[in-house]
Amino acid sequence: MSPAKSTRLSIAKQGLTDILERLSEMPPSARVRELRAKAMAFERVVRNWDRSPPSEEQRAAMMKCVIDLNVETMDEGRKVRNESGE
């Protein structure tokens, strides 16, 4: 695996770990469960990259998914904080 591919794999894994950690700190809700399910599905896909390396298009698509999910998670975190008066 080239250094660029390895870096992307590390970024995707770390991004998903961070997302799941932030979600675990939020109060349970349907939206949090939805975001957690998405993150866990992406995590399963990325985990399989060790055995079956993805194409450039697949890596790029997953990176976009992780970034988009990160934004959704941050938005939900802000919403939760605003609702709780923090």
Side-chain angles (χ1 to χ4, degrees):
M1 185 177 281
S2 77
K5 292 177 187 175
S6 177
T7 299
R8 283 190 183 172
L9 176 60
S10 295
I11 291 169
K13 284 181 177 178
Q14 186 59 54
L16 290 166
T17 298
D18 293 346
I19 288 166
L20 286 166
E21 185 176 317
R22 280 196 305 276
L23 289 169
S24 72
E25 295 169 354
M26 292 181 201
S29 71
R31 180 67 175 148
V32 169
R33 283 189 296 277
E34 174 189 343
L35 294 171
R36 185 176 296 119
K38 247 188 203 183
M40 292 173 74
F42 295 161
E43 189 177 53
R44 280 189 298 277
V45 170
V46 170
R47 206 175 320 127
N48 286 327
W49 286 359
D50 290 330
R51 284 179 270 149
S52 178
S55 68
E56 179 63 31
E57 293 80 17
Q58 289 169 318
R59 281 190 304 275
M62 180 55 72
M63 289 304 299
K64 181 178 179 344
C65 288
V66 171
I67 291 167
D68 290 347
L69 182 57
N70 190 43
V71 170
E72 289 180 80
T73 301
M74 289 187 306
D75 287 346
E76 185 64 18
R78 277 191 290 276
K79 180 181 164 196
V80 167
R81 281 191 305 278
N82 288 339
E83 289 174 354
S84 69
E86 289 182 21

